[in-house]
Amino acid sequence: MKKDGESNTSLSSNFIHNIIDKDIEEGVYNGRVHTRFPPEPNGYLHIGHAKAICIDFGTAEKYNGLCNLRFDDTNPTKEDVEYVESIKEDVRWLGFDWGDRLYYASDYFDKFYEYAVKLIKKGKAYVCDLSPEEIRQYRGTLTQPGKESPYRNRSVEENLDLFERMKNGEFEEGSRVLRAKIDMASPNLNMRDPVLYRIQYATHHRTGDKWCIYPMYDYAHPLEDAIEGITHSLCTLEFEDHRPLYDWVLRECEIENPPKQIEFARLNLTGTVMSKRKLKQLVEEGYVDGWDDPRMPTISGLRRRGYTPEAIKDFIERVGVSKSNSVVDMSMLEHCIREDLKLKVPRVMGVLRPLKVVITNYPEGQVEWLEAEVNQENSEMGTKKIPFSRIVYIERDDFMENPPKKYKRLSPGVEVRLKNAYFIKCEEVIKDEKTGEIIELHCTYDPKTKSGTGFNERKPKGTIHWVSAEHAVKAEVRLYDRLLLDVDEDDEKSDWKDKLNPNSLEMLTDCYLEPFVAKGKPGDKYQFLRHGYFSIDPINTTENKLVFNRIVALRDSWKKISSKK
């Protein structure tokens, strides 16, 4: 584990690095290490992709190698330039640079076609007229071998002719595919004559209408790696069963010094979903406000919420790299952002649910500017001035008219300290005549008790935060919580939307903050005393409206809540 202040760019040594160390020692790839991060541009990246980004780029950096950013844009019906740009932004934000090595699978469509022709000529691929449903039926099961397609033994000449006609747009979509000729009795279903090409009449975001046949990912992926000179192709564990096909494509296409595929466990988090398909459902069905909604586990959502690249990298470092899938508790990620921010950000007083307090014996019109540290744990951040006046706001929860015995905040006849200011005592409670709701407190203060004077003649019941009503900055504050109620949520459950937390967002529109935040810019972060860490929202904040997102509470209360269910 790295210490505070050290770079988290590359991960600690792990089994992937052990494999690479052995390759270097044995002179494989002449000591080169060249990786790639290959996202599909069909959605926004989430924190699971952040793990892959850190592993791909971090491994290359560890060995002074190279890492490409490559878009696997082989399915034009699901891809969009919006996703391409968001992915580039996310990778840059995490602190990684692909230099001049930005590539697309579509860069190689001509080469893929040439390799497919080569496979046909070798008798290793054929055009199949079975429908998608028939292909599934012929494929067999885990316990039963598949059946050979009746079109499997077409001549090389016929296959070359049909494949060219597929390319030329002579056949209907779904009527024919190009399949590899491997082994329909293989125990690995991926090797039972997998589809290499399908017909799709769709406009591609880069190649337009040049192509109407598109390669399947399992065929394109190894060839992309080979064309780019990748040495170690790092994938998540679900691709382990695809590795024999990866190696078959490279072998039959006669690739010299082929890349090596290595699989690692994907990242799963409690309290959220990590399936791109399900995240897309949340967006399209209106459960969240876009891909960058701060409740989403997307990198853009975490960024908007106020998470930092350093915290995410630290989290991934702590999770580690293994070969076994597991679920990581969200509280670990929350711990990492607290650790990252605690010495970095200013600490301010903010009243989220205000209760008006009139200090009746404080002179009307008088204002004192009290001095306080910007961050009590980091004196290098200096000091600030806080205005104090006759009318202040305190947190509604910090007053109780009939408190229990051990209550340590304000109540009738009880004295508490206003942080960095004076002792006050509640003398009178003002209520709404119709509803009985407490709307105002009348208190008195003792001028001898000013903070910093050394007054110690008596102790207050407790210390509470406050803001001067005249000087307070009004803001909207959004309190975010877990997206799912069930912290043990299995991403594959069909009823996952029933687990959505109805209280994942609470919007407070009548909040008051000390004036220190008035000059804050979108993205600036603060600790609100006793409430947690907050960031100025970059989307909804305007010149006339300040909006804060809660990044994380000061303590992990979720475990206590969930343990009571």
Side-chain angles (χ1 to χ4, degrees):
M1 205 71 66
K2 288 180 170 54
K3 297 177 181 178
D4 289 346
E6 289 185 20
S7 170
N8 277 314
T9 301
S10 1
L11 296 174
S12 300
S13 186
N14 54 63
F15 79 93
I16 293 174
H17 298 160
N18 295 338
I19 294 171
I20 294 175
D21 288 340
K22 188 170 184 292
D23 285 344
I24 292 174
E25 185 180 334
E26 295 176 355
V28 183
Y29 309 118
N30 296 316
R32 287 191 310 114
V33 174
H34 197 155
T35 62
R36 82 292 169 269
F37 174 61
E40 297 175 71
N42 60 1
Y44 282 63
L45 300 184
H46 54 61
I47 194 167
H49 296 109
K51 177 181 178 180
I53 291 168
C54 290
I55 291 175
D56 290 326
F57 281 91
T59 297
E61 289 187 11
K62 177 181 174 71
Y63 292 95
N64 295 314
L66 300 172
C67 183
N68 298 353
L69 174 60
R70 180 215 303 147
F71 291 97
D72 269 308
D73 54 346
T74 57
N75 188 353
T77 61
K78 295 184 177 180
E79 295 157 1
D80 196 285
V81 175
E82 174 191 350
Y83 301 137
V84 170
E85 294 306 315
S86 74
I87 289 168
K88 289 195 287 188
E89 182 182 2
D90 288 345
V91 176
R92 285 195 192 99
W93 179 74
L94 282 170
F96 298 106
D97 182 11
W98 55 86
D100 59 356
R101 297 175 307 283
L102 175 63
Y103 301 110
Y104 296 82
S106 53
D107 293 337
Y108 316 126
F109 280 176
D110 290 289
K111 291 184 179 181
F112 294 161
Y113 183 81
E114 292 170 10
Y115 278 120
V117 169
K118 182 173 188 173
L119 292 176
I120 293 172
K121 288 180 177 179
K122 290 178 65 175
K124 296 295 184 178
Y126 63 96
V127 175
C128 181
D129 297 6
L130 292 178
S131 69
E133 180 57 35
E134 289 172 327
I135 290 176
R136 280 191 290 271
Q137 292 173 358
Y138 274 58
R139 193 183 188 200
T141 66
L142 290 171
T143 56
Q144 293 181 322
K147 293 191 300 181
E148 292 187 357
S149 165
Y151 307 100
R152 195 174 195 265
N153 295 314
R154 279 173 163 157
S155 68
V156 168
E157 292 72 23
E158 184 180 7
N159 282 318
L160 287 172
D161 175 64
L162 288 171
F163 189 49
E164 183 175 3
R165 291 168 66 190
M166 284 172 61
K167 176 176 74 75
N168 293 338
E170 295 185 25
F171 305 122
E172 292 182 7
E173 188 169 308
S175 63
R176 284 181 168 86
V177 294
L178 182 71
R179 297 176 68 180
K181 187 187 287 187
I182 308 180
D183 180 7
M184 291 304 294
S186 172
N188 186 335
L189 270 65
N190 296 296
M191 301 298 282
R192 294 182 187 177
D193 290 11
V195 173
L196 304 182
Y197 267 92
R198 77 283 203 199
I199 301 171
Q200 277 189 304
Y201 292 102
T203 300
H204 191 280
H205 70 101
R206 295 188 75 244
T207 61
D209 296 319
K210 177 182 177 181
W211 295 90
C212 63
I213 56 171
Y214 290 95
M216 302 299 289
Y217 179 81
D218 279 346
Y219 170 67
H221 177 212
L223 292 176
E224 294 160 32
D225 286 346
I227 292 166
E228 293 176 14
I230 301 305
T231 59
H232 300 85
S233 183
L234 311 179
C235 306
T236 44
L237 207 55
E238 63 263 33
F239 290 100
E240 186 172 31
D241 290 341
H242 297 249
R243 194 192 327 143
L245 178 55
Y246 180 97
D247 293 338
W248 183 92
V249 170
L250 295 173
R251 183 172 62 252
E252 296 302 335
C253 289
E254 301 173 17
I255 302 297
E256 294 183 9
N257 210 16
K260 179 180 295 184
Q261 178 174 301
I262 306 170
E263 306 86 16
F264 58 88
R266 62 181 293 178
L267 175 61
N268 294 296
L269 271 179
T270 60
T272 189
V273 289
M274 299 286 280
S275 157
K276 196 184 289 185
R277 175 179 60 83
K278 291 178 178 178
L279 293 174
K280 196 169 186 177
Q281 276 184 270
L282 290 175
V283 173
E284 293 179 347
E285 296 175 21
Y287 290 100
V288 294
D289 184 24
W291 286 95
D292 66 347
D293 186 299
R295 290 167 290 182
M296 292 278 274
T298 55
I299 297 175
S300 56
L302 291 167
R303 178 168 61 244
R304 180 177 172 188
R305 183 159 172 170
Y307 274 81
T308 63
E310 294 80 9
I312 292 174
K313 289 177 183 178
D314 182 33
F315 169 66
I316 291 166
E317 169 80 7
R318 292 168 186 261
V319 170
V321 183
S322 73
K323 287 283 283 187
S324 302
N325 281 326
S326 60
V327 180
V328 181
D329 198 293
M330 180 71 81
S331 60
M332 182 187 289
L333 175 60
E334 294 172 342
H335 171 76
C336 291
I337 187 63
R338 291 188 194 100
E339 286 295 298
D340 183 53
L341 295 181
K342 69 179 182 180
L343 299 180
K344 288 183 178 179
V345 303
R347 299 182 181 182
V348 299
M349 292 190 287
V351 175
L352 306 190
R353 298 172 177 85
L355 176 60
K356 183 179 179 181
V357 174
V358 179
I359 304 173
T360 55
N361 64 331
Y362 193 86
E364 290 192 42
Q366 179 173 304
V367 178
E368 286 182 78
W369 289 87
L370 309 172
E371 188 168 289
E373 288 184 296
V374 173
N375 184 320
Q376 290 80 4
E377 292 187 64
N378 183 0
S379 59
E380 293 181 5
M381 294 185 70
T383 60
K384 60 180 177 177
K385 295 291 186 179
I386 303 172
F388 182 79
S389 59
R390 177 181 170 90
I391 301 175
V392 301
Y393 292 119
I394 67 168
E395 205 67 58
R396 188 165 289 275
D397 289 347
D398 282 344
F399 176 80
M400 190 173 287
E401 190 172 16
N402 299 296
K405 190 173 183 180
K406 294 185 178 181
Y407 186 71
K408 292 188 177 181
R409 296 176 197 171
L410 190 61
S411 57
V414 168
E415 198 172 46
V416 298
R417 176 183 290 283
L418 295 181
K419 186 170 178 61
N420 298 121
Y422 298 96
F423 290 11
I424 62 168
K425 181 189 290 187
C426 179
E427 308 288 357
E428 184 180 3
V429 179
I430 310 299
K431 298 182 179 181
D432 184 292
E433 293 181 358
K434 294 181 180 179
T435 66
E437 179 188 6
I438 298 172
I439 56 174
E440 187 175 306
L441 302 178
H442 287 182
C443 299
T444 55
Y445 90 115
D446 183 347
K448 299 195 303 291
T449 61
K450 186 176 181 179
S451 290
T453 60
F455 178 83
N456 59 5
E457 294 176 14
R458 60 186 186 275
K459 289 185 177 182
K461 190 77 169 178
T463 300
I464 62 176
H465 63 275
W466 55 277
V467 292
S468 167
E470 180 185 349
H471 305 87
V473 175
K474 191 172 183 180
E476 178 179 302
V477 173
R478 299 174 179 183
L479 305 179
Y480 294 100
D481 214 328
R482 306 288 169 91
L483 197 56
L484 297 179
L485 285 171
D486 188 349
V487 296
D488 297 318
E489 175 64 20
D490 179 354
D491 194 32
E492 298 307 314
K493 288 183 180 178
S494 60
D495 61 346
W496 65 277
K497 282 189 284 189
D498 293 338
K499 302 287 186 180
L500 288 171
N501 181 3
N503 300 313
S504 62
L505 169 60
E506 183 180 5
M507 298 176 65
L508 305 176
T509 58
D510 192 33
C511 304
Y512 294 93
L513 313 174
E514 65 173 87
F516 186 85
V517 306
K519 295 182 180 180
K521 303 180 298 297
D524 283 357
K525 299 167 181 60
Y526 304 86
Q527 184 195 114
F528 292 0
L529 296 184
R530 287 181 38 214
H531 289 300
Y533 292 94
F534 293 77
S535 178
I536 299 179
D537 185 85
I539 305 298
N540 294 313
T541 292
T542 66
E543 288 185 10
N544 302 316
K545 182 181 179 182
L546 198 56
V547 178
F548 280 88
N549 298 324
R550 184 171 67 183
I551 308 168
V552 65
L554 284 181
R555 294 179 181 83
D556 180 17
S557 60
W558 185 262
K559 284 187 176 180
K560 294 180 181 178
I561 295 170
S562 59
S563 66
K564 295 177 182 178
K565 293 180 181 178

